[in-house]
Amino acid sequence: VRLNKRGKNWYARFRQTDGRRHEVALRVTNKIVAETKAREISEALEAGQPWEWVVGRVRTGERTFAEMVSEFLEKGARWSGTTRRGNRALLQKLNAEFGNRAVIDISAADIEAYLARRRDEGLSKATRNRYLCTLKVILKKAHEWGYVPRNATADLKTEREGRKQPMPFTRDEVRLLLAELN
């Protein structure tokens, strides 16, 4: 795999074993990142595997995350109507982030980076945990249905949310409690 730069972006040129030539835009401006992607393409070609995933293309027959969410909601979700309505906005945000990516290409590092970015935007631990739990359910089902060889969220843990402060007693509750004590 050879790299060349046109304008600000890097391109990879290579020939497949069947003789077909390819020149693919890597969509990166950093040379180190381009070299990493070129190495990944080379490794995929040597292993006889598709190289398209390196540049973010979905291979034939693979499910995108958006397709997986749709299929999950149709077939696999045991969510009540209320939960579905409550998770609608959450699923839209996850689709905006991961929707056009192949579900097999979503890694634990991608998910952690997304959650870290949401943390930096000011999202609470509890809300980030809801995002992670939703991803866990969807990607677990993708693994069960054979779309991914390994569940990327299997080793990810939710954050400790801490304990909520107990609600103080009202005046009436204190009066009733004191009346019961000796």
Side-chain angles (χ1 to χ4, degrees):
V1 177
R2 295 177 190 246
L3 289 174
N4 59 335
K5 188 173 183 180
R6 272 193 255 142
K8 292 182 179 181
N9 292 312
W10 286 93
Y11 289 78
R13 273 190 182 170
F14 56 93
R15 186 183 302 248
Q16 284 187 278
T17 55
D18 62 2
R20 288 185 295 173
R21 293 182 187 178
H22 294 278
E23 182 173 62
V24 180
L26 297 178
R27 297 185 198 125
V28 295
T29 56
N30 184 312
K31 184 177 182 180
I32 295 170
V33 175
E35 289 170 345
T36 302
K37 286 191 173 213
R39 194 175 321 107
E40 290 173 349
I41 290 172
S42 180
E43 289 169 359
L45 291 170
E46 288 174 11
Q49 298 174 342
W51 54 268
E52 291 87 355
W53 65 273
V54 176
V55 291
R57 294 184 189 169
V58 177
R59 293 178 290 277
T60 306
E62 286 187 347
R63 293 276 193 282
T64 63
F65 182 78
E67 292 170 341
M68 183 61 212
V69 169
S70 295
E71 188 173 351
F72 170 76
L73 290 173
E74 283 177 27
K75 298 181 195 174
R78 295 183 307 200
W79 292 345
S80 68
T82 306
T83 303
R84 283 175 187 261
R85 283 189 298 278
N87 286 346
R88 186 176 299 141
L90 186 144
L91 287 172
Q92 287 174 345
K93 289 187 179 172
L94 289 174
N95 268 334
E97 180 71 19
F98 301 110
N100 60 355
R101 293 183 59 187
V103 73
I104 196 168
D105 294 336
I106 298 172
S107 68
D110 296 332
I111 294 166
E112 286 177 332
Y114 173 69
L115 294 173
R117 193 170 68 251
R118 297 308 309 260
R119 180 193 64 227
D120 295 344
E121 292 171 0
L123 227 56
S124 70
K125 287 181 181 180
T127 305
R128 291 191 310 269
N129 282 343
R130 299 309 147 256
Y131 279 89
L132 178 58
C133 288
T134 303
L135 282 167
K136 280 180 167 265
V137 168
I138 291 169
L139 294 179
K140 180 180 179 185
K141 195 56 78 170
H143 177 66
E144 287 176 13
W145 289 343
Y147 297 142
V148 293
R150 186 176 180 284
N151 181 356
T153 61
D155 297 331
L156 296 179
K157 305 285 185 219
T158 56
E159 296 180 61
R160 290 188 61 121
E161 295 177 21
R163 295 180 185 241
K164 291 185 178 181
Q165 293 293 323
M167 295 294 291
F169 291 118
T170 63
R171 289 186 184 268
D172 291 335
E173 290 171 333
V174 170
R175 188 175 41 76
L176 290 171
L177 180 63
L178 290 175
E180 294 295 321
L181 297 173
N182 290 336

